[in-house]
Amino acid sequence: CEFTRSSLEASPCRCIRAMEKPAAPAPSHSASLEDTVAVKVERLAVGTKEAPSCRFAAAKGVGAKSGSGDEGRGRPGRYLDVALTVGLFLACFSGIGLWYSIGMWVPSLLDEFGGSHVETQVVPSMLSAGYFFGGIAARKVIRVLGFRAAYIFGGTLAVGTILACSFAHHLFVFYSFIFVGIGFQSAWMAAGALIPLHLPKRKSTQLIAIAVTGSGFGSLVFSNTAQVAIPLLGLRGALRLVAAVLATLYALGAMALSPPPVETLQESGERKTS
């Protein structure tokens, strides 16, 4: 790999890996080859005003001043894994937790609108359908606007639909809960896909396993919320309370997310085209 500025900008990691294991390193060099490569990368990065976002360069400290290394656009590495886990935990807590506890709200829908059991059971069915089909919309939003925008889109769609249904006078309006499911899936997919893009596979698996426990905590909280809030506030007031809680949680989760490293997206694009 010819070590030029253009090759560095095109694929810094490829150039570095090509020079990691030479056939016969010169014995006169006092410093190791890795240190020499890191110095050359740093000098070229200063000329381009942008440090290369490469795991090898980040391990050598290259890009620390510019803040565009593998650490998540300036976020400290020791906090990046915690922040990403919190974002996915809140998505699981809010979306999957409410989805699992939707059955606690069905009796109140029966009492409020007087529909049949079949008509009322369509509401949780629409929520489930929206969750399973929400990945289609989430994928397009991620491609066009990015991961954080998809997370915000999902939270806004879910909160807005629940809030609008709290003013409904007919049961069929609650069939729009399909959009609540789409929003839940969109936020969950955006947060879940970010962790493997930032961290190694083994650590990603551990953090995702920790984060999905939020679904259990969420189902516990929202099921008990239905039992307590509906008698006190009524169905409409309880829905507005849930909408306010979801809006807060999704806002916190969106702030915890970090854009993926640039070289990770480049490598993913190269694998798709190859």
Side-chain angles (χ1 to χ4, degrees), residues 125-142:
S125 300
M126 297 299 286
L127 176 62
S128 300
Y131 190 86
F132 288 121
F133 285 103
I136 300 174
R139 184 179 181 184
K140 293 184 177 180
V141 176
I142 289 174

Side-chain angles (χ1 to χ4, degrees), residues 154-202:
T156 303
L157 184 62
V159 171
T161 304
I162 294 175
L163 188 61
C165 289
S166 68
F167 297 95
H169 296 286
H170 301 281
L171 179 62
F172 70 85
V173 178
F174 280 80
Y175 295 169
S176 62
F177 260 48
I178 188 172
F179 297 109
V180 178
I182 292 174
F184 287 164
Q185 176 63 245
S186 179
W188 178 85
M189 178 181 286
L194 268 179
I195 295 180
L197 293 177
H198 278 281
L199 303 171
K201 183 183 297 184
R202 183 176 180 179

Side-chain angles (χ1 to χ4, degrees), residues 1-21 37 41 44 51-59 62 68-70 261-268 270:
C1 176
E2 183 181 358
F3 214 99
T4 60
R5 180 173 299 177
S6 59
S7 62
L8 174 65
E9 293 175 350
S11 183
C13 295
R14 188 177 301 171
C15 292
I16 293 172
R17 289 169 188 155
M19 299 183 67
E20 276 183 337
K21 297 180 179 180
V37 172
V41 172
L44 286 174
S53 52
C54 178
R55 290 186 178 89
F56 177 77
V62 180
S68 59
D70 191 49
V262 177
E263 81 281 353
T264 306
L265 298 179
Q266 291 177 347
E267 292 175 2
S268 177
E270 290 176 359

Side-chain angles (χ1 to χ4, degrees), residues 74 76 107 218 246 271:
L246 291 179
R271 286 195 298 267

